[in-house]
Amino acid sequence: MSSTTASTTAPATASTATATAPAPAATPPATATATTPRQVPVFWLALLAAPVAAGANAPVLILPDMARSLGVATATATWMVTVFAWAMAAGTPLLAALLRRRGLKPLLRLSTALVVGGTALVAVAPWLPVALAGRVGQSLGGAGLVAAAMNLAGNARRMGVISSGFGVMGAAGPLLGATLTDAVSWRLAFAVSAIALLAVPAVSRYARSTPPSGEGRFDARGAALLIALATSLILLPTTPLPALAAALLTAVLLALHIRRRPEGFVPAALLRSPLFLVSAALGVTLSTTYFTLLFTVPSLLQDRAGWSKGAIGTGQLVTLLTASALSWLLAASSARLGRTAVRTILVTVGATAVATAAFSSSGPLLLLAAGAAAFTATGANATLSVHAASATTPTQRPTAIGLFALSYQLGGAFGPGITTLLILS
């Protein structure tokens, strides 16, 4: 996943069984019997959301190629990953709010335009700033598509399919990116996220099942403060002191704003919910672990085990695909296992992944560490998002999903930043 988020999500990323279910269709004539609202087939939801993870993870093995093409250092090229994760983190709650307030169809239209425009910019960008603008467009559009898929999931098994799709596409992203770069250009590798647009016509048929909520005035100040806080946090690995100062100041201002407007963009009830807070904290931690190892393990495999780029890409693909399948099993059995058992599994496997990557010089063990991190991140996206969404009322569940996704996607930004500090700088 990417940054993937994956990403958030899906990697990334990428989300709830208790998300707002499709609302009933318009009331039929009095003589007719009320009908059960239709669910979007889960295949279309997975196709709508998962390609974002491939786009997020495509740069893993091609950072040097991108850097040479744009005339920048490899460490500088990691901003192509960081801005994608930033836009996913900031865009997911914003576009979830658009879904809640305006309905599904406007969200799909805006997201499609952003993906198309961003992909076109990346395809022709002669300089890094232009390419970064294109990546932001791609990511914001992808965030909208992910928000739509997450809120239409309806139950844990369907969310497990979507989250596993994130994992599969995130797993394929590095090798797919390297293959397309060798065959054509790194620019084509960044176009894979546009595959999601194939699902838009099918999903849009269900637009009438998700009417707008008819809420009052949009909390623009709360949204701006939240995005500013997320931006400050994302900059922590690269500019620690200024970013920390900005984060503390923004957090204070946001807290004051929430006291004045407790039902605004960041509902006070969510911040008072231990279930939501624990879910979000674990989400960002496990996501950061995954995205850090996703970008560091290839370098470790080259330096410690002497593996080639092709062997690394193939090994990561197999390992991450396996991890995605296992994460779906975790999501499918999460209701039976219970919240405490799920959290214990995720934390234990995640800690083991970090320890293995830190001390092992064996190629298979390093791949196992990456797979374990992918399992925890993908499993967290599928299960903890369900927990987070269940911490609030049905009308606020899109907000809870969006804020959980923001915390998860922060890991997609932290990971490349940490990698730059550990490996590339």
Side-chain angles (χ1 to χ4, degrees):
M1 179 145 159
S2 118
S3 17
T4 88
T5 220
S7 66
T8 259
T9 285
T13 2
S15 137
T16 179
T18 54
T20 303
T27 304
T31 55
T33 303
T35 59
T36 302
R38 297 179 301 163
Q39 283 189 317
V40 183
V42 70
F43 167 79
W44 293 116
L45 295 181
L47 182 59
L48 188 71
V52 176
N57 293 353
V60 169
L61 300 175
I62 61 173
L63 287 174
D65 300 274
M66 294 160 43
R68 283 192 298 270
S69 175
L70 296 170
V72 297
T74 301
T76 304
T78 60
W79 279 103
M80 291 282 282
V81 180
T82 301
V83 298
F84 190 93
W86 168 81
M88 282 290 293
T92 302
L94 284 173
L95 291 161
L98 175 64
L99 173 64
R100 187 179 70 249
R101 295 171 63 85
R102 296 288 182 262
L104 180 63
K105 188 166 290 187
L107 174 66
L108 293 177
R109 288 173 178 168
L110 176 60
S111 300
T112 298
L114 287 168
V115 170
V116 171
T119 302
L121 269 183
V122 173
V124 301
W127 309 291
L128 180 62
V130 179
L132 292 177
R135 286 291 277 170
V136 168
Q138 286 182 314
S139 184
L140 288 174
L145 300 179
V146 170
M150 290 162 65
N151 280 280
L152 293 170
N155 60 56
R157 288 182 180 273
R158 284 161 59 86
M159 188 54 232
V161 173
I162 296 170
S163 187
S164 295
F166 262 93
V168 169
M169 293 300 287
L175 185 59
L176 182 61
T179 301
L180 293 175
T181 298
D182 291 339
V184 184
S185 168
W186 64 267
R187 299 175 189 274
L188 182 60
F190 282 92
V192 295
S193 58
I195 295 172
L197 299 182
L198 296 174
V200 170
V203 175
S204 65
R205 298 191 193 111
Y206 296 81
R208 292 181 181 178
S209 298
T210 55
S213 65
E215 294 181 4
R217 184 169 57 90
F218 176 65
D219 182 13
R221 180 176 297 179
L225 288 171
L226 181 65
I227 292 171
L229 177 60
T231 303
S232 302
L233 292 174
I234 286 170
L235 293 174
L236 276 174
T238 52
T239 56
L241 292 180
L244 179 60
L248 291 175
L249 175 61
T250 309
V252 170
L253 294 175
L254 180 59
L256 293 174
H257 176 75
I258 292 172
R259 290 189 64 182
R260 289 193 299 267
R261 191 167 178 181
E263 299 298 326
F265 192 79
V266 183
L270 275 181
L271 300 184
R272 290 194 294 263
S273 168
L275 178 58
F276 176 82
L277 294 177
V278 170
S279 300
L282 285 177
V284 67
T285 301
L286 296 172
S287 175
T288 299
T289 299
Y290 166 56
F291 283 103
T292 300
L293 293 185
L294 181 69
F295 283 86
T296 56
V297 164
S299 295
L300 296 178
L301 286 170
Q302 284 183 321
D303 297 340
R304 297 180 185 178
W307 285 28
S308 66
K309 186 169 73 172
I312 293 170
T314 303
Q316 274 195 319
L317 176 62
V318 174
T319 303
L320 299 184
L321 286 175
T322 303
S324 299
L326 293 175
S327 71
W328 180 83
L329 294 177
L330 176 66
S333 59
S334 60
R336 178 173 52 84
L337 291 172
R339 291 171 182 166
T340 300
V342 168
R343 292 172 185 168
T344 301
I345 291 171
L346 293 175
V347 171
T348 302
V349 176
T352 303
V354 173
T356 302
F359 299 108
S360 177
S361 59
S362 165
L365 285 179
L366 288 171
L367 278 181
L368 183 63
F375 165 79
T376 59
T378 307
N381 195 34
T383 59
L384 298 181
S385 58
V386 172
H387 301 172
S390 66
T392 187
T393 62
T395 56
Q396 287 292 341
R397 281 172 185 164
T399 299
I401 294 169
L403 293 177
F404 174 85
L406 183 151
S407 67
Y408 182 87
Q409 290 298 335
L410 284 175
F414 290 154
I418 295 171
T419 301
T420 300
L421 293 176
L422 295 177
I423 302 289
L424 299 176
S425 57

